[in-house]
Amino acid sequence: MPESYQHILVERDENVGIVTLNRPHALNALNFELVSELAEALAEFDRDSAIRCMVITGAGGKAFAAGADIKEMSGKSPIDMMMGGFEAWQLIKRLRKPIIAAVGGYALGGGCELALHCDMIVASENARFGQPEILLGVIPGAGGTQRLARTLGKFRAMEMVLTGAQISAQEMADHGLVNRVVPEGEHLVEALKLAKKVAAQAPIAIRLAKEAVNAAFETSLEEGLDIERKNFFLLFATEDMREGMQAFIEKRKPDFKGK
Ligand code: CO8
């Protein structure tokens, strides 16, 4: 893990990897370098067998991330934008281990999209989600229109994308986009509790479960059911499956090894 990250902090809590977006003076705005550091740190955790779940959060308490860095972006050309950071978003999307967003304060624009890239979201009651790109004369570029339309439905997604309106953590939770709303400032603690529950499960089953749930957004129902069934059968080749079932029979806790 390079010590030389400029814009993120990387740490471990037992078998959970934590990445903190660390530009609090700019509300953790996502400049190109930050996004590429984030992708690199997450990819490193994804490869590390000691890490079983990841958490992304923002420094400073006021924001998860207030979007792409407008000051950096304002002078860019289409080619600069294409070459500058979007590869990293693809990398984040392809990560195999679960990622939890711990959101306090603003998650706007690319910050909202980053949270939506994650597998679960824990938010403080002061969290605000929104896609304000329209107020800058552009539109979401890292998945906002698609992910919000699929999760919130067309009409609410349209309102967010066409007006830039922010919505509260509770409203997001009411529509199924946030897993837990917690008292202000407790988002990281609660996200870590959730991450440790995930990290305690059999790692190969977790990986195949994430893949199967994500298939629901990419495939027809029949194809998705095929992926689920094949992943289910595949798990009968793991030592952890034998251990999980034996532990149930012997009325003890399983000791999963990731094999
Ligand atoms: N980019 C750069 N700097 C920012 C950003 C940002 N997105 N957001 C806040 N800052 C800076 C401010 O300029 C300010 O800096 P300074 O003190 O030097 O003036 C500092 O952070 C604090 O911000 P404010 O003084 O504005 O704080 P307020 O509490 O008054 O307001 C808001 C908070 C409402 C969050 C306000 O800062 C704001 O509206 N920010 C911009 C939000 C926004 O429009 N986000 C969308 C950006 S576009 C985008 O995300 C496209 C994504 C495409 C994919 C990603 C590709 C990499």
Side-chain angles (χ1 to χ4, degrees), residues 25-27 29-30 32 35 62 66-71 73 86 89 106 108-110 113 132-133 136 141-142:
H25 57 282
L27 302 184
L30 307 168
F32 286 175
V35 177
K62 209 178 154 193
D69 190 314
I70 299 168
K71 292 168 190 165
M73 243 180 349
F86 279 82
W89 287 89
Y106 295 108
L108 302 177
E113 290 168 310
E133 288 89 342
L136 301 168

Side-chain angles (χ1 to χ4, degrees), residues 184-230:
E184 188 171 333
E186 290 182 20
H187 49 286
L188 181 56
V189 171
E190 292 302 320
L192 283 171
K193 278 188 201 158
L194 185 58
K196 284 180 186 174
K197 262 190 203 163
V198 173
Q201 314 309 322
I204 303 171
I206 288 287
R207 170 175 165 165
L208 296 186
K210 172 170 168 166
E211 182 187 291
V213 173
N214 278 336
F217 299 97
E218 312 279 350
T219 63
S220 68
L221 177 59
E222 208 45 57
E223 288 164 324
L225 290 171
D226 273 349
I227 291 170
E228 180 194 81
R229 212 164 23 240
K230 282 178 187 156

Side-chain angles (χ1 to χ4, degrees), residues 13-17 51-55 98-100 120 122 179-180 182 188-207 209 253-254 256:
D13 183 347
E14 298 170 10
N15 47 11
V16 176
I51 294 295
R52 294 189 177 182
C53 188
M54 300 178 263
V55 172
I99 311 176
I100 300 174
M120 289 184 269
V122 175
N179 295 75
R180 294 185 185 15
V182 300
L188 181 56
V189 171
E190 292 302 320
L192 283 171
K193 278 188 201 158
L194 185 58
K196 284 180 186 174
K197 262 190 203 163
V198 173
Q201 314 309 322
I204 303 171
I206 288 287
R207 170 175 165 165
K253 275 188 113 177
F256 292 127

Side-chain angles (χ1 to χ4, degrees), residues 57-205:
T57 195
K62 209 178 154 193
F64 175 70
D69 190 314
I70 299 168
K71 292 168 190 165
E72 181 185 62
M73 243 180 349
S74 62
K76 298 283 188 216
S77 72
I79 302 300
D80 295 335
M81 290 305 288
M82 189 175 81
M83 305 305 280
F86 279 82
E87 256 318 286
W89 287 89
Q90 284 302 107
L91 274 173
I92 295 170
K93 183 173 162 260
R94 284 197 290 265
L95 297 169
R96 297 196 171 105
K97 289 177 188 165
I99 311 176
I100 300 174
V103 178
Y106 295 108
L108 302 177
C112 184
E113 290 168 310
L114 178 60
L116 295 174
H117 265 72
C118 294
D119 302 302
M120 289 184 269
I121 303 178
V122 175
S124 270
E125 56 198 3
N126 73 332
R128 291 285 175 278
F129 296 81
Q131 299 290 163
E133 288 89 342
I134 204 75
L135 307 173
L136 301 168
V138 288
I139 67 168
T145 61
Q146 301 307 295
R147 290 209 164 85
L148 288 172
R150 278 171 165 75
T151 44
L152 277 182
K154 170 179 159 180
F155 298 95
R156 287 199 172 85
M158 280 292 186
E159 186 172 340
M160 280 181 81
V161 171
L162 300 187
T163 70
Q166 294 176 14
I167 70 174
S168 68
Q170 191 54 54
E171 233 181 304
M172 289 285 276
D174 293 344
H175 299 304
L177 276 88
V178 158
N179 295 75
R180 294 185 185 15
V181 182
V182 300
E184 188 171 333
E186 290 182 20
H187 49 286
L188 181 56
V189 171
E190 292 302 320
L192 283 171
K193 278 188 201 158
L194 185 58
K196 284 180 186 174
K197 262 190 203 163
V198 173
Q201 314 309 322
I204 303 171

